[in-house]
């Protein structure tokens, strides 16, 4: 079967948006997997209903495979699931109030399930991670230096990295180039040439903005879930 | 001006003295040390005190960090359980021997030192535990230097000295956009950068028993890898007398070790 993935992130507890996406996916032909790349939770609203739905999907739902994101990392750290580390990144960027707001949005009964989520998935030659292998908060966009993007791909030895942290939708392909390297040691000198491998980094968006990826043709479709019945983006095959 | 860079002294006093004498003989008075003053070897206090007495600018190594913070490196730092047990033994012994004063000196060391376009670190700018091996992916190597904002990165930790020049690099990219497929790609020209690994004074792993270090000329950017013989037997005897694993002495007297480092050199543990 030809695989077609749906990639979602940054729901931040928004069950209505998730429901819209599920409705969209029902109307989209051939979606085989739904990956949710973290930030299931957020500080602005109660997240329990969405977490319940993700843990216990409706019978008609495409079953989600979830990993954790930056907000889960903050919550889990603050709740003592990360050794001595606390929600330092959140505290530093948004202050103490933001930390207590986050704690209030998730019922502690969900913590063990959140803590069981993986950092990322490797599917075929693709990595699916909230940020990158460097850090869950790694903010990669199409503006990020290609040298850094290539480094993140190299670390995982994958051809495609799907990332969500920036909330942007983009599909940046590395199409060519190379580098010369000379190593001198006590045994002498050696030259080495390396070419840029054909690889890409894909930003999948956040919230209602999600991505469909056709594995066979390596094509991404950037969609937006909407409450209108005449959903845009249904035209593609 | 010539300046010298030393790394990985590993509590080996005869090797450290021999290297410092070699540097002094050449009239070089700027020395930078890239850490790992202790670990494996039998004279941790003596080596730390010598570096302190000479007032040598030093950054913190992986062993220095672990002595202060406790062994929190994940098992990925060791290739085998045997190596891990030996590492733990040496860690415990070193921890028992070091005076509080010398421990607080190690704790006070910075993780990096910067002088203009030169950056000095132990492992990599990311971590004291990351190995920058001479044959690692060239783009990833360049990324380490460039992201850190340096022209030349001096590192140690691998115990193998080398100079690597990365040049004529470029990366072409093309954006597949949501709104419009723009076909015109873009090409990024990458800067020329250098990585200089200072090898190891006290625990060389480059194939000979000699201590190694490097000299850099900051006007011409030329780098010379230096080898210095020292009294290996004296250190080996002290290792055995201290009750440290005999394999450490055997390794020193053979000038290599079975690459006791992580299989995946680029792996950085996320503790
Ligand atoms: Zn070392
Ligand atoms: Zn080290």
């Amino acid at each position: 079967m030809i695989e077609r993935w749906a990639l979602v992130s940054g729901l931040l507890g928004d069950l209505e948006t998730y429901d819209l996406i599920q409705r969209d996916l029902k109307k989209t032909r051939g979606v085989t997997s739904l990956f949710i790349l973290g930030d299931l939770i957020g500080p602005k609203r109660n997240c329990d209903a969405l977490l319940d739905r993700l843990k216990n999907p409706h019978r008609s739902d495409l079953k989600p495979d979830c990993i954790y994101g930056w907000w889960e990392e903050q919550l889990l750290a603050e709740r003592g699931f990360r050794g001595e580390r606390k929600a330092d990144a959140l505290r530093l960027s948004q202050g103490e109030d933001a930390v207590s707001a986050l704690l209030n949005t998730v019922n502690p009964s969900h913590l063990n399930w959140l803590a069981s989520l993986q950092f990322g998935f490797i599917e075929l030659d693709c990595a699916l991670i909230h940020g990158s292998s460097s850090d869950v908060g790694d903010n990669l966009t199409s503006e990020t230096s290609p040298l850094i993007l290539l480094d993140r791909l190299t670390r995982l030895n994958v051809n495609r990295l799907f990332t969500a942290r920036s909330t942007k939708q983009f599909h940046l392909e590395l199409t060519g180039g190379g580098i010369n390297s000379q190593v001198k040691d006590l045994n002498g000198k050696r030259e080495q040439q390396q070419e840029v491998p054909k690889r890409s980094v894909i930003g999948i968006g956040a919230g209602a903005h999600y991505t469909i990826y056709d594995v066979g043709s390596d094509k991404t479709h950037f969609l937006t879930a909407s409450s209108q019945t005449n959903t845009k983006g249904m035209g593609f095959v | 001006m010539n300046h010298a860079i030393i790394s990985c002294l590993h509590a080996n006093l005869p090797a450290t003295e021999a290297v410092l004498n070699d540097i002094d003989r050449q009239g070089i008075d700027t020395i930078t040390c890239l850490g790992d003053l202790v670990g494996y070897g039998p004279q941790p206090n003596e080596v730390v005190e010598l570096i302190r007495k000479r007032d040598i600018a030093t950054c913190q190594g992986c062993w220095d960090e672990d002595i202060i913070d406790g062994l929190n490196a994940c098992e990925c730092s060791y290739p085998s359980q045997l190596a891990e047990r030996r590492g733990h033994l040496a860690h415990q012994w070193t921890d028992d021997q070091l005076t509080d004063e010398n421990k607080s000196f190690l704790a006070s060391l910075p993780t990096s030192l910067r002088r203009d376009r030169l950056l000095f670190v132990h492992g990599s700018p990311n971590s004291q535990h990351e190995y920058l091996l001479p044959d690692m992916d060239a783009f990833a190597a360049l990324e380490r230097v460039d992201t850190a904002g340096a022209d030349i990165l001096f590192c140690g930790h691998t115990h193998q000295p080398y100079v690597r020049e990365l040049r004529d690099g470029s990366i072409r990219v093309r954006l597949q956009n949501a709104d419009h497929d723009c076909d015109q790609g873009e090409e990024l020209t990458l800067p020329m950068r250098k990585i200089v690994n200072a090898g190891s004074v006290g625990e060389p792993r480059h194939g000979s028993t000699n201590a190694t270090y490097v000299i850099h000329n900051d006007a011409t950017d030329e780098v010379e890898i230096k080898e210095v013989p020292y009294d290996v037997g004296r250190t080996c005897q002290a290792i055995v007398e201290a009750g440290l694993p005999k394999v450490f002495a055997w390794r020193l007297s053979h000038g290599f070790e079975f690459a006791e480092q992580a299989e995946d050199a680029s792996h950085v543990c996320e503790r």
Side-chain angles (χ1 to χ4, degrees):
Chain A
M1 187 172 60
I2 295 164
E3 286 194 45
R4 173 176 274 189
W5 301 343
L7 299 130
V8 175
S9 180
L11 290 168
L12 309 177
D14 186 351
L15 178 60
E16 292 74 42
T17 297
Y18 180 64
D19 205 45
L20 288 175
I21 292 173
Q22 280 287 356
R23 275 186 222 185
D24 265 16
L25 295 180
K26 250 167 257 162
K27 289 178 274 175
T28 311
R29 245 191 295 158
V31 178
T32 49
S33 306
L34 167 59
F35 296 106
I36 304 192
L37 304 190
D39 284 1
L40 324 169
I41 63 164
K44 296 257 166 68
R45 63 168 83 207
N46 185 286
C47 304
D48 294 332
L50 176 67
L51 293 176
D52 282 331
R53 173 81 168 267
L54 294 172
K55 285 157 81 175
N56 307 296
H58 288 177
R59 205 188 300 183
S60 59
D61 280 356
L62 193 60
K63 287 209 177 34
D65 285 312
C66 304
I67 58 173
Y68 69 86
W70 190 83
W71 283 106
E72 287 81 23
E73 178 67 14
Q74 301 309 308
L75 177 72
L76 291 167
E78 192 63 21
R79 292 289 195 186
F81 284 79
R82 294 290 189 263
E84 282 171 23
R85 229 172 342 118
K86 292 276 176 255
D88 304 329
L90 175 59
R91 196 166 267 114
L92 205 68
S93 62
Q94 300 177 37
E96 197 59 48
D97 289 352
V99 177
S100 21
L102 177 65
L103 293 183
N104 286 329
T105 63
V106 178
N107 188 297
S109 64
H110 291 297
L111 287 173
N112 281 329
W113 181 77
L114 289 171
S116 74
L117 298 179
Q118 295 180 50
F119 180 71
F121 297 124
I122 302 285
E123 297 284 326
L124 308 171
D125 59 348
C126 305
L128 287 61
I129 295 184
H130 182 72
S132 80
S133 60
S134 160
D135 190 84
V136 69
D138 202 10
N139 189 21
L140 303 178
T141 71
S142 56
E143 313 288 310
T144 304
S145 159
L147 188 59
I148 290 176
L149 297 178
L150 181 52
D151 172 66
R152 302 306 189 255
L153 289 155
T154 306
R155 285 182 197 223
L156 292 156
N157 195 23
V158 292
N159 289 329
R160 274 165 286 276
L161 168 64
F162 292 83
T163 174
R165 172 69 182 147
S166 74
T167 74
K168 302 272 187 332
Q169 290 180 308
F170 63 91
H171 184 156
L172 192 82
E173 296 177 306
L174 309 181
T175 56
I179 190 167
N180 294 326
S181 135
Q182 185 196 66
V183 175
K184 185 181 90 175
D185 62 18
L186 287 164
N187 299 317
K189 275 184 191 173
R190 55 190 189 275
E191 296 275 346
Q192 188 195 62
Q193 276 179 324
Q194 206 182 308
E195 280 176 14
V196 173
K198 298 234 178 311
R199 293 181 163 177
S200 38
V201 176
I202 296 129
I204 65 158
H209 305 285
Y210 67 101
T211 295
I212 297 280
Y213 177 64
D214 283 320
V215 177
S217 64
D218 188 29
K219 281 265 177 298
T220 40
H221 308 274
F222 297 131
L223 305 175
T224 301
S226 69
S227 40
Q228 295 156 20
T229 43
N230 184 16
T231 312
K232 214 188 135 210
M234 292 304 303
F236 69 84
V237 188
Chain B
M1 187 196 74
N2 279 340
H3 63 117
I5 300 95
I6 60 177
S7 184
C8 296
L9 287 53
H10 286 295
N12 185 339
L13 186 64
T16 305
E17 287 172 340
V19 164
L20 292 179
N21 284 339
D22 196 63
I23 294 170
D24 292 345
R25 249 200 319 275
Q26 298 166 77
I28 297 171
D29 46 28
T30 305
I31 307 176
T32 310
C33 173
L34 308 180
D36 273 5
L37 304 189
V38 303
Y40 300 124
Q43 293 114 350
N45 284 310
E46 292 84 338
V47 167
V48 172
E49 277 151 22
L50 181 55
I51 293 301
R52 290 175 61 191
K53 196 178 91 200
R54 299 270 313 233
D55 203 15
I56 292 173
T58 301
C59 42
Q60 195 180 58
C62 62
W63 274 85
D64 311 324
E65 182 194 16
D66 286 350
I67 287 294
I68 304 312
D69 294 348
L71 270 185
N72 51 6
C74 71
E75 323 77 72
C76 60
S77 296
Y78 294 100
S80 70
Q81 289 189 353
L82 184 65
E84 186 178 355
R85 254 201 311 279
R86 287 201 297 261
H88 283 209
L89 225 127
H91 173 91
Q92 195 52 54
W93 184 89
T94 305
D95 194 33
D96 292 344
Q97 297 292 314
L98 270 178
T99 66
D100 287 345
E101 206 184 326
N102 285 334
K103 277 185 192 170
S104 34
F105 173 76
L106 294 180
S108 74
L109 296 175
T111 53
S112 69
L113 294 166
R114 194 182 286 269
R115 285 204 298 274
D116 304 322
R117 59 205 179 85
L118 313 182
L119 182 67
F120 304 85
V121 300
H122 178 69
S124 90
N126 292 339
S127 157
Q128 280 126 299
H129 291 265
E130 186 180 30
Y131 292 93
L132 299 185
L133 291 167
D135 296 315
M136 84 181 271
D137 182 280
F139 292 104
L142 180 65
E143 189 273 335
R144 299 297 183 279
V145 192
D146 195 46
T147 302
D151 285 0
I152 305 183
L153 175 69
F154 292 90
C155 61
H157 190 48
T158 68
H159 297 203
Q160 298 166 341
Y162 69 85
V163 183
R164 188 174 191 189
E165 207 174 274
L166 302 152
R167 58 184 144 67
D168 310 322
S170 67
I171 303 178
R172 274 198 302 280
V173 297
R174 191 179 57 197
L175 202 58
Q176 274 192 13
N177 218 317
D179 315 319
H180 57 287
D181 271 29
C182 50
D183 262 338
Q184 80 276 20
E186 251 181 79
E187 179 159 318
L188 172 79
T189 305
L190 300 172
M192 207 273 265
R193 296 288 184 256
K194 232 180 223 180
I195 296 179
V196 178
N197 192 303
S200 172
V201 169
E203 231 256 344
R205 296 175 196 170
H206 63 287
S208 131
T209 57
N210 294 334
T212 62
Y213 73 98
V214 297
I215 295 175
H216 171 244
N217 184 303
D218 60 12
T220 63
D221 267 349
E222 248 159 77
V223 180
E224 198 185 345
I225 301 173
K226 305 289 277 185
E227 270 193 286
V228 183
Y230 71 97
D231 191 345
V232 182
R234 217 177 102 204
T235 303
C236 290
Q237 198 185 339
I239 287 176
V240 175
E241 280 168 10
L244 282 159
K246 287 200 180 68
V247 66
F248 294 159
W250 183 84
R251 244 156 45 183
L252 278 184
S253 59
H254 284 72
F256 65 90
E257 78 166 76
F258 295 107
E260 287 207 5
Q261 56 201 19
E263 290 273 297
D264 172 10
S266 62
H267 174 89
V268 178
C269 73
E270 294 169 39
R271 42 189 165 146

